[in-house]
Amino acid sequence: MGLTGLEIYKHLPKTNCKDCGSPTCLAFAMALASGKASLDACPHVTDEAKEALDSASAPPIKMVKVGTGDQVVELGEETEIFRHDKRFFHPTGVAVLISDTEDVAAKAEIFDALEFHRVGMDYTTDMVAVKCDSGDAAKFKAAVEAVAGKTQKAMILICEDPSVMEGALDVVADRKPLVCAATSDNYEKMVELAKGKGCPLVVKGKDLNETAELVEKVVALDYKELVLDSGARETSKVLADLTQFRRLAVRKKFRPFGYPTIAFTAKEDPREEVIQAGVYLSKYADVVVLKACEKQQLLPLLSWRQNLYTDPQKPIAVEAKLYDVGEPNEESPVYVTTNFSLTYFIVEGEVESSRIPSRILSVDTGGVSVLTAYADNKFSAETIAEAIKLCNLEEKVKHRKLVLPGHVAVLKGALEEESGWEVTVGPREASGITKFAKDNFA
Ligand code: SF4
C-alpha cells in the first residue's frame, strides 16, 4: 500500500526551499502521495529517504516493454480507473494467436498484412502469440522460427514446459518476446529463462490470491518485468479479476498487482470471440490474445481501442482547410462541414460515393461536430465566411455556391449576407449526400 502525505513528509528535508516547485515540503509530500509529482523533483532528498519513499513515488502500475526497436509494445503505467478522470496511456496490445499445430506460416502472413485506415489514422495489430499445443519441443521451435521469419512484430511465446520453452526462446530472445507463463509449478525455471534473456514474463496463478503470492515469489528472485494472468478464462471472472488488478494497483498501491495484465479469449465463434476481447480491452487488459485473424473480425476491436485510448479532452480533428474529393474543377460543388474528424470522414465518404468531383470546406470548430459547434458559436455565418477567405475559395471556383449541412439550415440567411455566396441547404444526415449530389449536380 502507498504512503500517506504525512508519512512521506517525515522523510523530506522540511526546509520549504521551493526548489521542487511546491510552496512547502508538506505540499510536495501531498502531491507525491497522490501521484501528481515525482520524487526526482526534490534535489535535497537523502539516499535513505529515497529508498524509503520508493514505493510512494513509483507509478501504481509498472511499465513493461515487449519487443524491440520500432515494434516495441509498451504495456502498463496506467494511472486511472476511469478514462474520463484523465486518460488511458498505453493502448492494449492486440495479439493474434497461432498454434504450432496449424499452418503457422500461412496465418503469420495473413497477420503481418493486417493494416487498417480509419478517421485519417493508420493502425494495425501489434503482437503475435505462438502457442505450443503439440507438446513437441522441435515443432514449437520450428513454429516460432517460421513466425519470426514472416513478421517483425512483437512476439508472445506460450508454453508452460520450461524445457520446451528454452529452445524456442533461444531462437527469438533478441526480439525480447513475452514469455508465457510462470506458474506455481515452474516459476523458478521460467524466471531463470526470462531473466537470463532479459525478456518479460507472464505470472499465471489459479486465482487472484495465488497470483499475488506467485508475484511475490518471483520478485524475491529479483525479477520484476512481469505481466499478470489470474488464470480465469470465463468472461465475467476475467473481467472481475482484471478490475481487481487495476483497482488494487491504482487505489491501494498493492504492489503484487502493480504490473500490466494479459487476457485470453476462450470463445470459438469469431464474432463472440471479438466481443469477449472487446470486454477485456475495455477493462483493463494490457494485452488481449485472440485467434481471430480476418480483417473484418479485427476492425471493430481495433476501432474501439482507437477510441478508448484517445485523450477525452482533445477531440480528434482533421486540418481545417479545403479538401478535394476526386479531381474537382472550377464548377465543382463545395460542401461545408466542421473539422471533427468523424464528421469530416463520413461526409467525405458520402461525397466520394456520389462520384461527382467536389470540394469540402472543413471549418475550424476545435474538432467538434456540426450541432455542438453551432451551439457554441464556432460554426456560424462568421466562422464559415472567414474559412472561405482563408482558403481562397473564390480563386478556386467560378460559381459562388455552398452546400450547408441541413442541421444548421437556420444559418442560410446570415451566411449569404456575411459571405455573399448563395447557400443551398443540404441533407441533415451525411447519408443523404449521395442522393442530394446526384439530384443537384449530376
Ligand atoms: Fe522541501 Fe525538497 Fe521541495 Fe525544498 S525541494 S520544498 S526540501 S520537498
Side-chain angles (χ1 to χ4, degrees):
M1 191 179 295
L3 300 176
T4 65
L6 285 177
E7 285 166 334
I8 295 170
Y9 176 67
K10 288 178 196 160
H11 297 276
L12 295 178
K14 304 185 191 71
T15 57
N16 299 333
C17 70
K18 301 186 178 63
D19 288 351
C20 57
S22 294
T24 62
C25 291
L26 183 59
F28 181 68
M30 294 300 179
L32 203 57
S34 61
K36 289 177 185 149
S38 162
L39 188 59
D40 299 338
C42 172
H44 311 297
V45 74
T46 63
D47 287 346
E48 295 76 41
K50 257 187 194 152
E51 204 175 314
L53 294 173
D54 182 48
S55 68
S57 59
I61 297 175
K62 181 179 161 57
M63 182 200 281
V64 172
K65 294 182 182 181
V66 182
T68 51
D70 292 348
Q71 303 295 338
V72 75
V73 180
E74 296 181 338
L75 309 172
E77 219 170 53
E78 299 296 343
T79 56
E80 307 304 319
I81 307 263
F82 301 110
R83 171 179 174 266
H84 58 257
D85 284 340
K86 196 179 209 175
R87 61 167 298 178
F88 295 157
F89 292 94
H90 294 111
T92 303
V94 174
V96 169
L97 183 75
I98 302 179
S99 166
D100 68 348
T101 55
E102 63 185 315
D103 186 346
V104 172
K107 191 164 180 183
E109 232 166 73
I110 295 170
F111 161 79
D112 197 53
L114 290 169
E115 279 177 11
F116 303 86
H117 183 76
R118 181 176 170 267
V119 289
M121 289 185 241
D122 295 314
Y123 53 98
T124 178
T125 47
D126 20 40
M127 307 176 92
V128 58
V130 189
K131 186 179 181 196
C132 178
D133 283 322
S134 65
D136 180 332
K139 198 163 186 178
F140 184 49
K141 184 177 172 184
V144 169
E145 258 172 341
V147 172
K150 293 286 180 191
T151 179
Q152 290 303 308
K153 302 230 172 112
M155 297 180 77
I156 304 173
L157 308 188
I158 305 175
C159 176
E160 292 179 14
D161 181 339
S163 63
V164 175
M165 176 65 84
E166 191 169 8
L169 184 57
D170 277 343
V171 177
V172 289
D174 59 335
R175 286 175 58 171
K176 303 296 173 207
L178 177 59
V179 177
C180 180
T183 65
S184 55
D185 297 328
N186 70 12
Y187 75 93
E188 285 164 315
K189 188 66 188 160
M190 279 295 193
V191 170
E192 192 183 314
L193 282 178
K195 194 174 167 185
K197 303 290 185 190
C199 297
L201 175 68
V202 174
V203 175
K204 179 184 169 191
K206 290 193 177 75
D207 53 32
L208 290 176
N209 288 335
E210 192 187 280
T211 307
E213 285 166 17
L214 199 51
V215 168
E216 283 176 340
K217 286 177 187 168
V218 172
V219 170
L221 294 172
D222 197 23
Y223 205 55
K224 293 184 180 173
E225 298 304 307
L226 309 179
V227 173
L228 308 179
D229 175 6
S230 74
R233 295 294 180 265
E234 201 260 317
T235 314
S236 60
K237 185 75 181 99
V238 176
L239 179 62
D241 288 354
L242 289 170
T243 305
Q244 286 303 319
F245 279 144
R246 178 66 65 92
R247 279 180 176 274
L248 288 167
V250 171
R251 291 262 164 88
K252 305 289 182 188
K253 296 209 171 151
F254 180 61
R255 284 294 162 206
F257 290 169
Y259 300 92
T261 57
I262 188 168
F264 296 83
T265 58
K267 301 282 185 189
E268 289 304 322
D269 178 82
R271 283 169 303 178
E272 289 183 12
E273 192 194 19
V274 167
I275 292 168
Q276 194 180 32
V279 171
Y280 303 158
L281 191 147
S282 305
K283 289 190 170 193
Y284 292 99
D286 294 286
V287 180
V288 74
V289 182
L290 75 169
K291 297 180 283 298
C293 192
E294 299 292 330
K295 209 166 183 174
Q296 71 277 12
Q297 294 162 347
L298 291 167
L299 182 60
L301 187 66
L302 295 174
S303 298
W304 174 228
R305 178 180 72 171
Q306 190 188 21
N307 287 340
L308 196 62
Y309 282 87
T310 53
D311 185 341
Q313 290 165 40
K314 286 187 196 159
I316 313 172
V318 295
E319 189 184 347
K321 65 173 192 177
L322 189 66
Y323 290 87
D324 291 351
V325 181
E327 291 178 6
N329 58 31
E330 294 171 325
E331 301 299 337
S332 299
V334 178
Y335 297 85
V336 182
T337 189
T338 75
N339 74 328
F340 175 42
S341 61
L342 203 54
T343 302
Y344 172 78
F345 284 109
I346 290 172
V347 169
E348 187 201 60
E350 295 296 332
V351 172
E352 209 170 356
S353 298
S354 74
R355 300 186 184 280
I356 297 169
S358 307
R359 291 187 172 86
I360 302 175
L361 177 60
S362 164
V363 178
D364 186 0
T365 58
V368 297
S369 62
V370 170
L371 282 177
T372 313
Y374 168 69
D376 200 20
N377 214 25
K378 288 178 179 162
F379 196 58
S380 63
E382 290 76 21
T383 57
I384 298 170
E386 180 67 19
I388 291 171
K389 281 189 200 141
L390 282 175
C391 68
N392 296 322
L393 189 55
E394 291 189 355
E395 291 173 16
K396 290 172 183 154
V397 292
K398 274 191 183 159
H399 62 76
R400 294 291 177 263
K401 294 176 186 169
L402 299 170
V403 180
L404 193 65
H407 274 303
V408 287
V410 68
L411 289 176
K412 175 178 159 64
L415 180 55
E416 285 182 332
E417 210 168 286
E418 186 74 27
S419 65
W421 287 55
E422 183 186 327
V423 174
T424 304
V425 175
R428 287 168 74 88
E429 304 299 336
S431 56
I433 289 177
T434 307
K435 183 177 182 310
F436 172 85
K438 285 181 178 160
D439 291 348
N440 289 275
F441 307 123

